[in-house]
Amino acid sequence: MKFSLRQIEYFVATAESGSIVQASRQIPISQPAISAAIAHLENVFGVSLFIRHHAQGLSLTPEGRMVLQEARTLLLHAQELGGSLNGMLGRVQGEVAVGCMTTLFPLLAPDLIQSFSATHPDARLRVIAGHHEELTEKLRDGEVSVMIGYNMPMPQAISFQPLSALPPYVFTSVDHPLATTGRVRLEDLVDEPFLLLDLPFSRDYFLQLFSSAGIAPRIAGHYPSMDVIRSLAARGVGFGLGNARPRNQNALDGKPLAYLGLEDECAPLVYGLFTVTGQRLPLRVSAFLEMCIGNLSNRNLPGTI
């Protein structure tokens, strides 16, 4: 073979970071070593893998994108080979890349990272936050081995393992007229300004709750961040809807929130684990899935009430 796995690893790190400088910090290795590896691969393959932008990093050529896909597969197979050998000795080691929905990320990621490293000290969990569509793409492209998200439409080639149901709830400022009622109906909020979480699928889910009740919300703003909506609601700008109820009932700026249950018969979101159907998973990924099922199935989401 005219190239090494190490050279392939340097190429993938550079392609994913878009910079030799960033790749050298990530691996870590010297920048000249990475540059030499890329130059060697370009000479072996007879094509340019990157377009060099002065002072602005690198971008992949069309040929480079094709090589990147195969390079990731090659590295994955190499890791699986090592994992298989380690599995014979009952060891779990290596990195597990997991994608997690942004609304679940701050609650789940710390718990998962701590629990996995405590159970498997030779393994490392890398959790990436994102919305449904981008994480689905990363799962299909092999950038993550597992996706944690809600039971939303997915391609047939992806399997879903449910963990727990999260019913919707309302949050307002503590001095809102409805704050002390404990429970409300959506029709009680029809004239109130609604702060909509404007993320793919999440947006449709929350709007469908109103549609099912036969009413239309008075949308006061579209926001891509639940933290921003919580802060605005705590200031009395409007009310928000969510599914994960953080135990900390304060917004990021410290202002308190009131949580209200919904009396309407609303379909909960079920969160769980997505994997590519039929894929033979390495031991480290199987160990992560088993941990999630054992720790999270039919239980409160970590850090919630």
Side-chain angles (χ1 to χ4, degrees):
M1 189 166 61
K2 297 181 179 180
F3 55 86
S4 67
L5 286 175
R6 184 69 66 189
Q7 289 168 330
I8 292 294
E9 180 186 2
Y10 295 169
F11 162 70
V12 170
T14 304
E16 292 180 342
S17 65
S19 164
I20 290 177
V21 174
Q22 291 298 325
S24 70
R25 293 171 180 167
Q26 174 185 323
I27 294 175
I29 195 66
S30 69
Q31 295 177 42
I34 293 178
S35 296
I38 292 172
H40 177 77
L41 292 175
E42 289 180 324
N43 183 58
V44 169
F45 298 145
V47 295
S48 294
L49 300 176
F50 292 100
I51 300 172
R52 276 76 172 173
H53 305 286
H54 180 65
Q56 295 183 3
L58 306 171
S59 60
L60 287 166
T61 63
E63 295 77 13
R65 285 193 293 271
M66 288 189 293
V67 172
L68 176 60
Q69 184 175 355
E70 296 299 326
R72 283 173 173 157
T73 301
L74 178 60
L75 291 179
L76 178 61
H77 287 167
Q79 286 183 331
E80 288 179 347
L81 175 60
S84 296
L85 295 175
N86 289 324
M88 294 177 186
L89 301 176
R91 297 173 58 195
V92 174
Q93 68 175 28
E95 180 183 87
V96 179
V98 175
C100 186
M101 290 278 284
T102 55
T103 50
L104 297 170
F105 180 78
L107 296 166
L108 268 180
D111 185 82
L112 293 177
I113 291 170
Q114 180 184 36
S115 298
F116 193 65
S117 62
T119 307
H120 304 290
D122 292 330
R124 184 171 74 91
L125 188 63
R126 178 166 61 93
V127 187
I128 303 167
H131 60 70
H132 184 83
E133 290 179 337
E134 67 177 319
L135 291 180
T136 300
E137 194 65 25
K138 289 182 183 294
L139 180 63
R140 296 177 70 178
D141 289 346
E143 293 183 46
V144 298
S145 299
V146 182
M147 170 182 159
I148 304 175
Y150 300 116
N151 57 328
M152 297 174 179
M154 294 290 276
Q156 290 185 348
I158 295 179
S159 302
F160 179 63
Q161 169 65 51
L163 291 175
S164 189
L166 302 174
Y169 73 102
V170 176
F171 53 91
T172 69
S173 64
V174 293
D175 55 4
H176 190 281
L178 297 172
T180 59
T181 60
R183 297 181 67 81
V184 294
R185 297 186 65 85
L186 287 173
E187 63 182 6
D188 299 330
L189 303 164
V190 68
D191 295 324
E192 300 287 332
F194 175 44
L195 308 171
L196 175 64
L197 180 63
D198 199 357
L199 292 174
F201 294 105
S202 296
R203 171 180 59 246
D204 297 335
Y205 168 76
F206 289 123
L207 292 178
Q208 181 60 40
L209 295 180
F210 288 97
S211 178
S212 297
I215 56 179
R218 183 162 73 88
I219 299 175
H222 298 71
Y223 304 94
S225 167
M226 183 60 81
D227 284 330
V228 171
I229 294 175
R230 285 170 62 88
S231 292
L232 289 171
R235 292 167 180 265
V237 176
F239 75 93
L241 285 172
N243 293 86
R245 298 190 187 202
R247 187 175 293 116
N248 179 8
Q249 289 191 220
N250 291 331
L252 285 182
D253 57 8
K255 291 181 171 55
L257 287 160
Y259 292 169
L260 306 172
L262 279 170
E263 293 183 355
D264 305 73
E265 293 185 4
C266 298
L269 282 180
V270 177
Y271 87 96
L273 307 164
F274 293 93
T275 53
V276 176
T277 304
Q279 185 178 48
R280 186 173 62 84
L281 299 173
L283 181 63
R284 60 185 180 279
V285 177
S286 297
F288 172 74
L289 294 174
E290 290 172 6
M291 182 195 75
C292 289
I293 293 170
N295 293 353
L296 302 174
S297 289
N298 300 314
R299 299 182 183 181
N300 284 347
L301 193 68
T304 66
I305 55 177

